[in-house]
Amino acid sequence: MIIILFGAPGVGKGTQASLLARKLGIAHLSTGDAFRTAIQNQTEVGKIAQSYVDEGSLVPDNIVASIVEEAMQGPAYRNGCILDGFPRNRGQVDALNSILVGRGLRVDKVINLEVDNETIIKRLLGRGRNDDSADVIEHRLNIYRHETEPLLEYYSQNGNLITVDGVGDIAEINRRILEAIDDHSD
Ligand code: AMP
């Protein structure tokens, strides 16, 4: 099963994706985590990604797509995965579709976690990551609104989009997501 966890920075995608991965027994692929690890280890990808991540811009699509494609070849991904932070623009949707088509897979569910702007900013400022300063947060949210949020239209037309209220307690939100997945299973 391929699930996309969708939503603005700070809606809780990472937390929910790792809970879901454990409960559903499938892999969790966070492109943000992949870049942070690559930067820490100063790999070739890390060196390229660093400036983009620091300023809150999107890393170029070809690099993101190659990270996702490579990860998906691993044995841990045999039962599918939860994509957290990917795709983030139309080019990445196309890249994902071609990765999946090549393996006879498709996106099964897109869970859109919805959180109001004020709560998002409060959560991000409280998180204390390097790219969580006020100006970088503003830039990341702008990119989300302009490039990522419009993908909701695409996924709603493809019939597998489910919007879940992302405000509240972590366990409760997780329950809502699991319920939404069950209700919409084919
Ligand atoms: P995240 O942890 O998902 O908030 O991602 C942190 C940073 O990693 C983003 O601000 C981007 O610089 C980079 N990044 C993560 N995922 C992607 C992606 N799908 N496309 C481009 N850049 C990404």
Side-chain angles (χ1 to χ4, degrees):
M1 175 150 59
I2 306 286
I3 297 178
I4 297 176
L5 217 49
F6 198 93
V11 296
K13 296 188 295 296
T15 307
Q16 292 300 332
S18 76
L19 280 174
L20 273 183
R22 225 179 312 143
K23 289 196 177 159
L24 301 174
I26 56 180
H28 170 197
L29 177 53
S30 157
T31 43
D33 284 350
F35 287 129
R36 282 183 286 277
T37 304
I39 289 169
Q40 216 166 24
N41 296 333
Q42 283 292 294
T43 63
E44 285 310 305
V45 164
K47 286 178 195 161
I48 299 169
Q50 174 121 45
S51 58
Y52 295 97
V53 172
D54 284 350
E55 69 176 36
S57 295
L58 295 185
V59 176
D61 290 351
N62 60 329
I63 295 171
V64 187
S66 67
I67 279 200
V68 172
E69 183 156 29
E70 203 180 304
M72 280 192 174
Q73 280 160 6
Y77 288 77
R78 203 175 309 129
N79 296 327
C81 68
I82 297 173
L83 293 168
D84 157 14
F86 175 85
R88 266 170 145 103
N89 60 25
R90 193 48 216 244
Q92 293 182 16
V93 168
D94 294 340
L96 174 62
N97 288 343
S98 71
I99 293 170
L100 294 180
V101 161
R103 330 181 114 239
L105 298 169
R106 64 184 177 99
V107 173
D108 295 284
K109 314 274 178 219
V110 181
I111 312 283
N112 174 36
L113 276 178
E114 212 167 47
V115 174
D116 61 279
N117 228 29
E118 204 182 315
T119 308
I120 284 178
I121 291 171
K122 221 185 289 168
R123 283 188 190 172
L124 288 173
L125 286 171
R127 201 163 64 170
R129 227 166 64 185
N130 278 346
D131 56 343
D132 284 338
S133 63
D135 52 337
V136 176
I137 288 173
E138 193 187 326
H139 184 54
R140 285 162 57 215
L141 287 172
N142 261 327
I143 291 181
Y144 175 76
R145 303 287 173 222
H146 287 106
E147 296 195 41
T148 310
E149 198 166 47
L151 305 181
L152 287 175
E153 180 64 28
Y154 169 83
Y155 283 114
S156 88
Q157 278 167 9
N158 282 274
N160 46 13
L161 177 72
I162 313 162
T163 291
V164 171
D165 179 4
V167 180
D169 156 288
I170 290 174
E172 167 62 21
I173 297 166
N174 195 247
R175 201 186 50 74
R176 284 179 205 150
I177 295 175
L178 284 167
E179 234 173 57
I181 292 175
D182 273 353
D183 283 353
H184 289 74
S185 53
D186 317 314

